[in-house]
Amino acid sequence: MKKSLPFIFILLFTVTSIPALAFHEGGVGYCDGCHITHSSDVMSGAPTSGDYLTLGSDPSSTCLRCHSGTGTYGVLSGSGAAMTPGGDFYWLKRGFNWTDGEGNPQSSPGHSHGHNIIAIDYGLTPEPVRTQAPGGTYPSSALGCTSCHDPHAKIGGGDNPGGIAGSGSYGGSPPGGGGVLGNYRLLGGMDYDGGVQAFSFTIPAPVAAAPADSSETDMSHTAYGSGMSEWCRNCHVDYLEGGPISHHPAGTTANLTMGEIDQYNQYLATGDLSATPGTSYFALVPFETGSTDSTALDPGSTSGPSTSAIVSCITCHRPHASAFRSIGRWDLAIPFSDSLVNSHPDGTTDGST
């Protein structure tokens, strides 16, 4: 039977009126971008069969199909040139050897430079020394991008009232209609299992807001509010302040002292303390503002810390990988009195792949 024009118009209007979802938003985004469904790999035409019918050989290899390179969301380059806030997984492939000022040989093996995610298609292999997360029980053999990031954007164990209506990475308020914002950077929320059976996150995702281009400069950077250190404790239970192997205060009780605030707000460069509080933000050494409201965070702020500022895990560490041991933002082993330019590797350090 020939369909009437009004019927066709109604059908087209119904289909084209469905709001478009961003790749990861809403829990039911672009499935074919990560999974083999009924046909083939829509991106290359050469399907593979990884875990959960992923297009890569494993979850992280699937993530890196889009997130490798040096673009806005690149986290794995071929030269260390990915400059996103999390760092560059490239450094997991680079080890360094040098001689210190006293003639003693030193080394910094690649596996010590970050979270050793498993991405077989990209040459990233399991942690060769530790079998589980330092200070916790998460197995190294299961570590991948989806250990921390929930690709389906669920929050609170998937109990999303009204559905996820937008990314929670950039602050702002959710649109009307009962929707909610997702977690910052798709980080796993309460009850997320990190891809491992019998494992469950007990601490919610942190409060933070990122600039639209994921840059990290003194004038455009992620604004961290609160909860980052606590969230890291989902896997690194014993490292938070007061834990049995804690090394440095971090978290909601680790407020900067007035002396530290003054020093941060005056520091401009080694030997130069001419900065002012309104222009002293230093992207290499971020801090949490203490805010629990993402809409109050400003990724374009150049202001240094106030009395509510908190030392966080990410103050000293990259979340992905760096050129330094223990994922340091600089060489954490050098004396604090030395300038950051004395970190290793430097221009004279021998490197090996």
Side-chain angles (χ1 to χ4, degrees):
M1 181 178 70
K2 186 176 181 180
K3 294 182 174 64
S4 65
L5 183 59
F7 178 87
I8 296 174
F9 176 80
I10 292 171
L11 177 62
L12 289 173
F13 180 82
T14 302
V15 172
T16 57
S17 295
I18 297 173
L21 292 172
F23 194 94
H24 290 287
E25 290 177 13
V28 288
Y30 177 37
C31 300
D32 281 350
C34 297
H35 300 277
I36 301 168
T37 51
H38 299 293
S39 54
S40 65
D41 176 345
V42 297
M43 297 178 71
S44 69
T48 59
S49 182
D51 297 338
Y52 309 107
L53 293 178
T54 54
L55 296 176
S57 297
D58 47 66
S60 294
S61 293
T62 302
C63 296
L64 290 172
R65 288 163 59 87
C66 292
H67 292 283
S68 61
T70 58
T72 298
Y73 299 107
V75 297
L76 172 64
S77 74
S79 62
M83 298 297 181
T84 47
D88 191 339
F89 285 117
Y90 161 82
W91 298 110
L92 295 176
K93 301 182 179 183
R94 295 296 306 275
F96 298 97
N97 301 284
W98 70 95
T99 301
D100 65 20
E102 299 179 355
N104 300 312
Q106 301 290 337
S107 64
S108 180
H111 68 80
S112 73
H113 294 163
H115 284 97
N116 286 256
I117 62 168
I118 302 164
I120 301 303
D121 298 351
Y122 292 83
L124 297 176
T125 55
E127 158 72 54
V129 177
R130 297 183 177 90
T131 59
Q132 58 189 24
T137 60
Y138 191 93
S140 301
S141 59
L143 186 62
C145 301
T146 55
S147 299
C148 296
H149 303 277
D150 184 345
H152 297 131
K154 299 185 299 296
I155 61 174
D159 183 16
N160 306 328
I164 294 177
S167 172
S169 296
Y170 308 104
S173 302
V180 297
L181 293 179
N183 290 338
Y184 168 74
R185 293 297 190 219
L186 303 177
L187 295 179
M190 292 283 287
D191 302 320
Y192 184 59
D193 64 9
V196 175
Q197 290 184 350
F199 191 88
S200 181
F201 284 16
T202 60
I203 302 170
V207 176
D213 60 357
S214 294
S215 59
E216 187 183 49
T217 69
D218 295 345
M219 295 177 288
S220 179
H221 53 83
T222 297
Y224 298 99
S226 59
M228 180 61 75
S229 298
E230 285 72 21
W231 181 83
C232 293
R233 194 171 183 247
N234 280 308
C235 290
H236 302 286
V237 180
D238 296 335
Y239 270 90
L240 204 61
E241 184 177 13
I245 55 175
S246 64
H247 296 283
H248 192 290
T252 55
T253 61
N255 287 88
L256 294 175
T257 66
M258 283 305 303
E260 292 164 341
I261 291 170
D262 289 342
Q263 186 176 39
Y264 191 113
N265 284 331
Q266 294 172 18
Y267 179 85
L268 186 64
T270 301
D272 185 349
L273 300 180
S274 62
T276 60
T279 60
S280 64
Y281 186 86
F282 190 24
L284 185 63
V285 189
F287 54 85
E288 288 187 315
T289 66
S291 175
T292 58
D293 180 5
S294 63
T295 65
L297 300 174
D298 179 10
S301 172
T302 59
S303 296
S306 67
T307 54
S308 63
I310 299 169
V311 175
S312 174
C313 296
I314 49 85
T315 298
C316 300
H317 301 276
R318 298 280 182 189
H320 290 161
S322 77
F324 310 109
R325 290 169 290 190
S326 302
I327 332 181
R329 288 176 172 268
W330 56 87
D331 187 350
L332 303 177
I334 65 171
F336 191 72
S337 57
D338 285 354
S339 66
L340 298 182
V341 296
N342 290 326
S343 290
H344 290 278
D346 61 19
T348 63
T349 303
D350 292 331
S352 60
T353 55

